[in-house]
Amino acid sequence: METSRINDPRTPPSTPAAGCDVVTVPARQGLEAVDILRRGTAEAVGPVLHDDGGATLGFLVPPGTAAAWDVPGSTCTETDGRGLTLAPEPPVAGSDWLLPPGEADLATDPAVLRRALGEAARTIRAADGCR
């Protein structure tokens, strides 16, 4: 994923635009996936948003991911960079960075995220089955 400037007069020229999509998952599964991704040796996790209510996490993924995203229990939204900036401030009102830009890669690889979400779902099912 590359960052570039957009020609929108409402966007300050010093703010990079993110041409990315966002995969949204329930917080429990997302937090487990972040742990899985961060434990991996070569598989890095990109910036991750969480909502103020703590119900969901949003993983930034490369543009075009939404067209083929089919992971049950998650959604992938195409942003085309509309209003989404990789700045220290969260790009969406009512959200905050779990992993801010600069501390993470530019985007999470969708195939790697898909595997981590699957492993997270299996881990949660196993943990819930032990109760």
Side-chain angles (χ1 to χ4, degrees):
M1 182 178 83
E2 296 178 21
T3 58
S4 63
R5 299 192 192 286
I6 56 175
N7 295 323
D8 184 341
R10 296 170 294 173
T11 303
S14 62
T15 304
C20 61
D21 293 349
V22 179
V23 172
T24 305
V25 298
R28 185 175 179 202
Q29 184 180 12
L31 290 170
E32 187 67 38
V34 167
D35 285 345
I36 291 163
L37 290 167
R38 293 186 95 183
R39 282 193 316 253
T41 55
E43 300 170 347
V45 60
V48 179
L49 288 163
H50 68 84
D51 64 2
D52 276 342
T56 62
L57 291 184
F59 292 83
L60 273 60
V61 293
T65 301
W69 191 258
D70 61 353
V71 176
S74 68
T75 59
C76 188
T77 306
E78 187 176 345
T79 67
D80 291 328
R82 295 178 302 244
L84 185 60
T85 58
L86 293 180
E89 305 80 34
V92 179
S95 68
D96 202 356
W97 292 109
L98 177 68
L99 295 175
E103 292 182 19
D105 287 348
L106 289 178
T108 300
D109 181 303
V112 171
L113 179 58
R114 182 184 309 270
R115 285 192 302 271
L117 290 172
E119 185 177 336
R122 289 187 298 277
T123 300
I124 291 168
R125 277 193 304 273
D128 288 350
C130 291
R131 292 183 185 176

